[in-house]
Amino acid sequence: VQISLLADLRAFNLAYGLDRASEASTVLESAEARIGVTHLRDELEATRALLLAAVDMSFSTALVLASTVIEREAANPQALPRAYAAAIVALWATARPESAIRLADRGIATLAGTGGSFGDVTLHVQTSRFAAFLFSGLLDEAAELATRAYAQALEARTEQARAYWAMYLGEHALWSGRVMTSINWLREAELRLRNSDPYRMRSGVLSSLALAASFAHDLATAASAIGETESRGRTTKLTSPWTARARGWHVAVLGDLDHGRAMLMEAAIDCRNHECGSLEALLMHDIARLGDPGATSARLSEIAATAEGPLFVLFATHAAALAAEDAEALELAAESFRRMGLQLEGAEA
């Protein structure tokens, strides 16, 4: 038990405190080899999977590890929340958000059936489910989840959960094109995370705040948020694409479209190298929106051919319509964006 507890503590410090997720994984793997008790190994494997997915962007390895715990007969119930969260992150990040939602629903039912009390650990499952809703184009479902969870956190006076759900409500508002609402939610989340941010979410909040402020042409707020993100130094690998997206858009809004698109392309290629198809597609579509659809249309079509859900197909068809200057196809894309709830993209198309 002591070996397990110490390994878990050290791994989280390495991953979130020092951005050394690979070393954290090694610590956990070494501890697993020394422990003969299956239920303790379950917890270590689940933790390792979550760190690999949510911090290190090692999605394939994380999914294998997490699935091993999930499918193991008589798996330790205390390990299941982290295992499910890891697998859900790995699935939505690799452009399989519909599979992620199905697994999240299964996980929530399984956890409820154990009768256990998992505290804040189940927060990882629900926030991962929220991201899967977004990348499935299910913005109404994402809003319903975040609104309900925020109200529950408010009633229970759980500050960390309240901060996270304020962040996700801000993210949803940003996707929906309600930019000022997004800024208000993100300001609340950032304020609440100043005193307690064990999972280093504040950098992501600042990045989203900078992006929303750029969309609102509040360039002073955008620059301030980006500057604070940079002053904080290390971020997790999975936060880095969001930070790069905010920086690229800010530079583009300032007038340097070429440099902004180049920053987004660099981040998209890094996502591709990590098999993170969802974020690669988001960044590639941004480049098309910023005036260079020819550079991304083919790649977006490749992603859409194997990805789950209508959002990736819509990204690809919109980029193709922009590249071809096809007015009829652009109108169809605009209507599809509006029906999905992506109002900014609909207005642009």
Side-chain angles (χ1 to χ4, degrees):
V1 173
Q2 280 188 323
I3 292 172
S4 176
L5 289 174
L6 287 172
D8 190 82
L9 179 62
R10 187 180 175 205
F12 267 83
N13 285 337
L14 285 167
Y16 287 104
L18 300 172
D19 195 25
R20 289 153 59 183
S22 296
E23 189 174 338
S25 179
T26 301
V27 167
L28 291 167
E29 194 169 9
S30 176
E32 290 165 27
R34 296 170 61 193
I35 292 174
V37 183
T38 302
H39 76 275
L40 293 177
R41 285 207 308 272
D42 284 349
E43 290 193 54
L44 292 172
E45 287 181 0
T47 299
R48 183 153 62 100
L50 183 58
L51 295 181
L52 286 170
V55 181
D56 198 49
M57 293 179 74
S58 298
F59 301 116
S60 297
T61 304
L63 186 57
V64 170
L65 269 175
S67 299
T68 299
V69 175
I70 290 168
E71 302 301 337
R72 184 174 290 147
E73 188 174 352
N76 179 1
Q78 294 299 321
L80 289 176
R82 286 180 179 172
Y84 275 110
I88 296 162
V89 170
L91 286 169
W92 74 250
T94 53
R96 290 174 282 175
E98 293 179 343
S99 294
I101 292 169
R102 288 193 294 271
L103 186 63
D105 291 343
R106 173 187 166 188
I108 291 165
T110 298
L111 294 173
T114 66
S117 176
F118 302 102
D120 289 341
V121 182
T122 54
L123 182 64
H124 294 301
V125 176
Q126 291 287 22
T127 55
S128 303
R129 184 169 173 245
F130 172 87
F133 279 141
L134 286 187
F135 281 101
S136 293
L138 299 173
L139 270 67
D140 288 345
E141 288 82 349
E144 181 182 352
L145 169 60
T147 302
R148 182 176 65 252
Y150 180 85
Q152 291 170 346
L154 184 63
E155 183 178 357
R157 298 184 179 181
T158 50
E159 282 298 303
Q160 188 179 94
R162 184 176 173 184
Y164 291 166
W165 287 113
M167 175 184 73
Y168 288 115
L169 283 166
E171 194 67 34
H172 177 271
L174 182 57
W175 279 55
S176 301
R178 295 177 292 116
V179 175
M180 298 311 299
T181 300
S182 175
I183 289 172
N184 291 336
W185 278 117
L186 293 166
R187 285 190 189 280
E188 176 184 337
E190 190 274 330
L191 182 64
R192 294 186 181 283
L193 289 170
R194 287 184 186 181
N195 295 325
S196 178
D197 185 20
Y199 299 109
R200 292 168 62 186
M201 301 291 283
R202 189 164 170 252
S203 292
V205 172
L206 288 165
S207 297
S208 291
L209 177 59
L211 182 61
S214 292
F215 286 169
H217 287 267
D218 182 354
L219 300 182
T221 296
S224 176
I226 289 170
E228 189 160 358
T229 301
E230 291 173 345
S231 71
R232 291 176 61 80
R234 292 182 300 268
T235 62
T236 65
K237 283 186 181 179
L238 191 53
T239 303
S240 295
W242 301 101
T243 303
R245 187 183 189 216
R247 290 172 179 162
W249 270 96
H250 183 238
V251 168
V253 170
L254 286 172
D256 193 343
L257 283 173
D258 288 341
H259 187 200
R261 288 192 297 253
M263 295 170 74
L264 294 169
M265 181 63 79
E266 182 180 357
I269 292 170
D270 186 59
C271 287
R272 186 187 312 175
N273 292 336
H274 285 91
E275 299 179 341
C276 188
S278 289
L279 292 182
E280 182 192 353
L282 187 66
L283 291 159
M284 287 284 186
H285 186 244
D286 283 345
I287 294 167
R289 292 169 67 189
L290 287 169
D292 193 4
T296 64
S297 178
R299 178 56 186 159
L300 283 168
S301 294
E302 289 175 4
I303 295 171
T306 57
E308 295 177 353
L311 181 62
F312 302 104
V313 174
L314 184 51
F315 282 168
T317 56
H318 180 226
L322 285 170
E325 299 182 356
D326 185 332
E328 185 177 350
L330 285 170
E331 183 56 40
L332 290 172
E335 181 57 30
S336 296
F337 278 127
R338 287 192 289 266
R339 282 200 305 269
M340 199 174 284
L342 298 168
Q343 300 302 328
L344 280 180
E345 288 83 347
E348 290 172 8

